[in-house]
Amino acid sequence: MDYNTIEDAFLFVSSAPPFEHSAVVHRITGESFYASELAGDSEIPEDAEESDDYLWIPHKNDFDLGKPLVMEFVREHCSNLIDEVYAIFRRRGAYGRFKDLLAKQNLLEEWYAFEQTRTREALLRWCEENGVVLG
């Protein structure tokens, strides 16, 4: 199976709050299928729930890649901003304000690289745990 297929499905699932988007990948063919509760659209095969041939793609929250990752980054790269970041995450729209803060500190590209690395590590670990052989 191709890593990009897994990553694309993961990014789709994680682009909305948990359970709004879902995706499965067929273990044998590597084909991916998507569904959106918000749009009321699903291409996920009916037998995906019962079949071991399909692998349900997790949400980023399943890997603590949301706020816990932000706080890890702040502790490691800009601990002087920790109180400000905590305050940002007490209100809606936190990620936008967090990225604005990082841009002002010239840390935005560093954040994107950190987030991408941690996401890849989590997905590769998940693939291994689920017997997905990447080629």
Side-chain angles (χ1 to χ4, degrees):
M1 189 172 308
D2 183 50
Y3 174 79
N4 291 330
T5 300
I6 299 287
E7 183 181 47
D8 289 347
F10 175 78
L11 292 173
F12 173 77
V13 169
S14 298
S15 69
F19 311 110
E20 280 192 25
H21 289 166
S22 48
V24 296
V25 175
H26 194 277
R27 288 179 184 268
I28 299 166
T29 67
E31 189 176 4
S32 55
F33 303 91
Y34 298 87
S36 172
E37 291 293 321
L38 191 62
D41 186 31
S42 177
E43 47 182 58
I44 294 178
E46 290 182 23
D47 65 335
E49 290 279 345
E50 303 87 36
S51 176
D52 289 337
D53 289 342
Y54 294 94
L55 196 56
W56 289 87
I57 303 298
H59 189 275
K60 69 180 179 180
N61 289 0
D62 296 323
F63 297 143
D64 288 332
L65 294 175
K67 184 180 173 185
L69 186 66
V70 166
M71 299 317 295
E72 179 184 347
F73 176 82
V74 171
R75 281 190 296 276
E76 289 181 17
H77 298 274
C78 50
S79 60
N80 60 311
L81 300 175
I82 200 152
D83 290 336
E84 191 170 351
V85 173
Y86 274 125
I88 285 172
F89 276 87
R90 288 190 190 110
R91 299 190 331 260
R92 289 182 145 301
Y95 281 99
R97 288 192 313 278
F98 171 66
K99 290 177 185 174
D100 288 345
L101 174 64
L102 292 181
K104 290 176 188 172
Q105 301 291 322
N106 293 317
L107 291 169
L108 193 56
E109 292 305 315
E110 197 170 333
W111 160 249
Y112 286 135
F114 180 84
E115 181 182 39
Q116 184 177 19
T117 298
R118 288 297 197 277
T119 298
R120 183 174 179 83
E121 290 169 354
L123 280 174
L124 290 174
R125 195 170 38 254
W126 178 83
C127 285
E128 185 177 324
E129 291 167 358
N130 286 279
V132 175
V133 178
L134 299 172

